């Protein structure tokens, strides 16, 4: 029998990896400095221009953005969004300045939460646990502006979406990141009941790579799962899907296939 894995509470200032869903608790920290960074011309097109003329008084008011239309993106742009989510997930809370916003520019809260259907699409026919659509009936979504503390990385506006329910004595948890400008799910994690993880890791990873390739609709980028030899020789839950262009690896996307949890991040 596999052990139930529960979420741990992490203080906002404590450096912990893999706790990206806790980072949103730092929502209004350094809001004035963050908005100045956006106005300086970071990577969200038209974001500074979309800011309404509202004063953020002592960090008590969230920022409101004008709505926009979802943008079509190239392979390179999509990969940049995936890389940003990956860096955010694997960073500490000191590496990013997450600023909670009142709304997204391109997506509404309802549209962001509806991306749960994309999670089901990504997991289709993999054997990975996703629960039933009706199980996740308490979905919460919040738009967050990610500003790297170093200033060396691109800024991104994403939605952090989460839900949970109890199945017997098991706490099932769903968490995923949605890019605001494209509507793409760029990272996700599902914690499920004991005994629901597929045993054929190579086949699961292969199907997952196929689903991601179709989902992101790349034109000149191929997704290649880690080889069966590499998977069976390692003892870690972590494996990789390689993003290749002209035979060269341009991104290694970590995938966790654990006892009762799986994640793309």
């Amino acid at each position: 029998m596999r052990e139930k894995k529960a979420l741990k509470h992490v203080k906002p200032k404590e450096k912990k990896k893999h706790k990206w869903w806790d980072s949103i608790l730092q929502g209004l920290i350094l809001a004035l400095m963050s908005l100045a960074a956006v106005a300086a011309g970071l990577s969200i097109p038209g974001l500074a221009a979309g800011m309404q003329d509202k004063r953020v008084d002592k960090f008590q008011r969230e920022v409101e953005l004008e709505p926009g239309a979802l943008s079509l993106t190239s392979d390179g742009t999509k990969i940049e969004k995936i890389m940003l989510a990956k860096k955010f997930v694997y960073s500490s809370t000191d590496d990013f300045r997450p600023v909670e916003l009142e709304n997204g520019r391109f997506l509404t809260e309802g549209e962001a939460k509806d991306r749960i259907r994309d999670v089901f699409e990504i997991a289709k026919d993999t054997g990975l646990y996703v629960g039933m659509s009706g199980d996740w009936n308490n979905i919460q979504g919040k738009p967050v502006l990610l500003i790297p503390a170093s200033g060396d990385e691109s800024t991104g506006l994403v939605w952090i979406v989460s839900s949970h329910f109890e199945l017997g004595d098991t706490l099932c948890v769903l968490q995923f990141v949605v890019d605001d400008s494209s509507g793409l799910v760029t990272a996700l994690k599902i914690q499920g009941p004991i005994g629901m993880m597929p045993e054929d890791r190579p086949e699961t990873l292969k199907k997952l790579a196929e689903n991601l390739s179709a989902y992101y609709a790349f034109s000149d980028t191929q997704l290649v799962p880690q080889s069966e030899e590499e998977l069976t020789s390692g003892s870690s839950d972590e494996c990789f899907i390689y993003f290749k262009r002209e035979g060269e690896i341009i991104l290694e996307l970590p995938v966790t296939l654990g006892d009762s949890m799986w994640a793309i991040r």
Side-chain angles (χ1 to χ4, degrees):
M1 295 293 290
R2 287 174 284 185
E3 297 181 357
K4 175 179 69 177
K5 191 176 292 183
L7 293 179
K8 295 181 179 179
H9 176 70
V10 179
K11 296 180 180 180
K13 292 186 178 180
E14 184 180 354
K15 280 200 171 185
K16 292 286 185 181
K17 296 193 175 185
H18 314 306
K19 299 297 183 182
W20 51 272
W21 56 92
D22 290 327
S23 298
I24 61 174
L25 298 179
Q26 296 189 17
L28 297 178
I29 296 176
L30 300 176
L32 290 177
M33 294 177 63
S34 301
L35 293 179
V38 172
L42 295 173
S43 67
I44 301 176
L47 184 58
M51 295 286 185
Q52 291 188 344
D53 187 17
K54 287 189 174 182
R55 179 172 177 262
V56 181
D57 187 17
K58 295 183 180 179
F59 312 118
Q60 297 301 309
R61 184 180 301 177
E62 294 177 341
V63 181
E64 184 175 349
L65 307 181
E66 293 290 354
L70 286 178
S71 61
L72 298 176
T73 55
S74 65
D75 283 15
T77 303
K78 292 174 187 176
I79 290 172
E80 286 178 3
K81 297 176 185 300
I82 296 168
M83 290 178 67
L84 177 66
K86 172 186 171 184
K87 291 174 182 177
F88 177 45
V89 168
Y90 280 92
S91 71
S92 70
T93 54
D94 289 342
D95 295 327
F96 278 88
R97 298 169 184 166
V99 179
E100 288 189 10
L101 304 179
E102 184 175 278
N103 61 291
R105 183 169 183 232
F106 299 95
L107 294 178
T108 65
E109 181 180 4
E111 289 170 335
K113 294 191 295 186
D114 283 346
R115 261 48 186 191
I116 188 174
R117 67 177 183 269
D118 295 0
V119 174
F120 282 86
E121 181 180 342
I122 290 169
K124 184 178 180 180
D125 298 328
T126 63
L128 293 166
Y129 177 76
V130 290
M132 303 294 290
S133 58
D135 292 336
W136 311 107
N137 56 13
N138 62 342
I139 302 178
Q140 303 294 322
K142 193 68 181 176
V144 178
L145 185 65
L146 303 178
I147 299 181
S150 66
D152 296 332
E153 305 291 346
S154 297
T155 299
L157 177 56
V158 300
W159 289 80
I160 310 297
V161 184
S162 62
S163 181
H164 68 275
F165 71 95
E166 291 185 2
L167 185 62
D169 61 352
T170 299
L171 178 65
C172 299
V173 179
L174 165 70
Q175 297 152 336
F176 59 95
V177 177
V178 181
D179 174 65
D180 181 72
S181 64
S182 65
L184 293 173
V185 173
T186 53
L188 69 92
K189 173 185 174 181
I190 294 182
Q191 179 178 312
I194 295 172
M196 298 299 291
M197 186 59 60
E199 294 182 3
D200 192 341
R201 285 162 52 89
E203 185 60 31
T204 296
L205 191 63
K206 177 182 176 182
K207 185 59 183 176
L208 194 57
E210 292 174 356
N211 288 354
L212 285 173
S213 183
Y215 175 66
Y216 290 126
F218 290 125
S219 60
D220 62 356
T221 303
Q222 294 76 45
L223 269 62
V224 180
Q226 197 169 15
S227 71
E228 183 171 351
E229 181 180 356
E230 291 175 316
L231 288 173
T232 55
S233 63
S235 58
S236 172
D237 290 340
E238 187 173 74
C239 44
F240 294 91
I241 293 176
Y242 302 118
F243 287 54
K244 290 187 175 182
R245 186 176 297 153
E246 298 180 352
E248 297 292 330
I249 297 176
I250 57 177
L251 173 65
E252 294 182 357
L253 184 65
V255 176
T256 301
L257 300 176
D259 289 341
S260 59
M261 182 273 288
W262 67 279
I264 303 172
R265 53 189 188 183

